[in-house]
Amino acid sequence: MKTSNLAAASTGKEFLEILDEQKLTLTFRTYNGMRYAVFPMYFDYSGAAIGWLDSFAQGNMAGHYGRAYNLTGKRECLDISNSLINSFRAPTGLVKSTKYGNFYLHYNFLREHYILNAHLICTLGLQRAYRFTGNPRALLLFRDGVSTFRRMHWKYDSGSWTYYAVSGRYYRPAWPASTAYHRLHVNLSNSVYLATGDYYYRKIALKWNGHLTRRGLSPERI
């Protein structure tokens, strides 16, 4: 997760060096003849078995390797990006079918814990992968992620602030977002608008930005 964020903030040689290093933790698997790739998480979280998977990292890194392919033309980068996209079609537990659509899970072992920033970062990473590689599966996954956000975003809004996550079969608020995460929600919503051109998502971003100003906080520059 941290590596994918570091890659997002990097350019040029540093960006490519991060991705070269990250390849060392990559694992390829096969499902029904389909090759896919995963970045297992080798730290214990909430009693999870080592090697758990995170849609945040999978989708984000698919976009980064797609970008690397665009920069270098290396087929290896294209193969990794495509294989990471395939992981969403394999039995990895990354995707949860909900009443609102497919949700991309931050923790594939917490099946009823729906973390907004992870879902949106994954969704936008998949769009980036499509933009750089043209992979139609990435486009379908992106559209699924956006559709779920459209149908579900109101569950994350208290009317005066956003929730970090919702949980359980009734999608009840887990806890309010910190100020930093609320700002991230504003920016991610606006990024969905920029990626789709649909002003509906701009309105969500503006509404959540308004929550900041009503608390006497500076709004995000979106």
Side-chain angles (χ1 to χ4, degrees):
M1 291 180 285
K2 290 182 179 179
T3 302
S4 65
N5 285 335
L6 183 60
S10 304
T11 58
K13 183 179 178 181
E14 181 185 13
F15 171 72
L16 296 173
E17 286 176 347
I18 291 170
L19 295 193
D20 278 340
E21 182 177 338
Q22 191 65 20
K23 285 187 299 186
L24 300 175
T25 66
L26 186 67
T27 300
F28 287 96
R29 302 174 184 172
T30 303
Y31 173 69
N32 285 346
M34 178 187 70
R35 189 169 185 252
Y36 68 98
V38 294
F39 284 111
M41 299 295 167
Y42 293 109
F43 63 91
D44 186 20
Y45 178 84
S46 190
I50 287 177
W52 56 273
L53 302 179
D54 167 29
S55 68
F56 178 128
Q58 295 286 122
N60 211 14
M61 293 303 289
H64 290 327
Y65 280 102
R67 176 186 164 200
Y69 170 66
N70 181 261
L71 289 171
T72 66
K74 290 183 178 180
R75 297 289 302 182
E76 180 187 32
C77 294
L78 177 62
D79 177 53
I80 292 173
S81 180
N82 289 339
S83 297
L84 287 167
I85 291 162
N86 286 346
S87 71
F88 290 87
R89 297 168 58 89
T92 54
L94 293 168
V95 185
K96 173 68 182 294
S97 177
T98 76
K99 64 187 288 186
Y100 301 103
N102 287 335
F103 196 95
Y104 302 132
L105 297 176
H106 204 0
Y107 307 108
N108 70 336
F109 53 92
L110 295 177
R111 306 297 297 164
E112 291 190 340
H113 192 52
Y114 309 104
I115 298 174
L116 181 58
N117 79 85
H119 175 78
L120 292 180
I121 288 170
C122 175
T123 297
L124 291 165
L126 293 164
Q127 190 271 344
R128 194 167 59 252
Y130 171 71
R131 180 158 54 92
F132 287 127
T133 71
N135 187 320
R137 288 182 177 177
L139 179 60
L140 290 174
L141 289 164
F142 166 68
R143 287 175 173 170
D144 272 358
V146 168
S147 175
T148 300
F149 177 53
R150 188 184 189 103
R151 297 180 64 196
M152 196 176 184
H153 68 87
W154 63 276
K155 298 293 291 186
Y156 293 90
D157 192 345
S158 72
S160 60
W161 201 251
T162 57
Y163 298 110
Y164 176 79
V166 296
S167 295
R169 60 182 298 193
Y170 298 111
Y171 308 93
R172 289 176 174 151
W175 56 81
S178 66
T179 300
Y181 274 111
H182 181 85
R183 291 185 181 278
L184 181 58
H185 292 163
V186 171
N187 283 290
L188 289 172
S189 302
N190 198 59
S191 292
V192 173
Y193 157 65
L194 295 173
T196 62
D198 188 338
Y199 199 77
Y200 184 89
Y201 304 103
R202 173 72 171 172
K203 288 192 291 186
I204 296 172
L206 291 173
K207 180 182 179 183
W208 290 353
N209 220 16
H211 293 342
L212 288 164
T213 58
R214 280 187 288 276
R215 289 196 177 191
L217 302 170
S218 61
E220 290 297 291
R221 295 184 178 182
I222 57 173

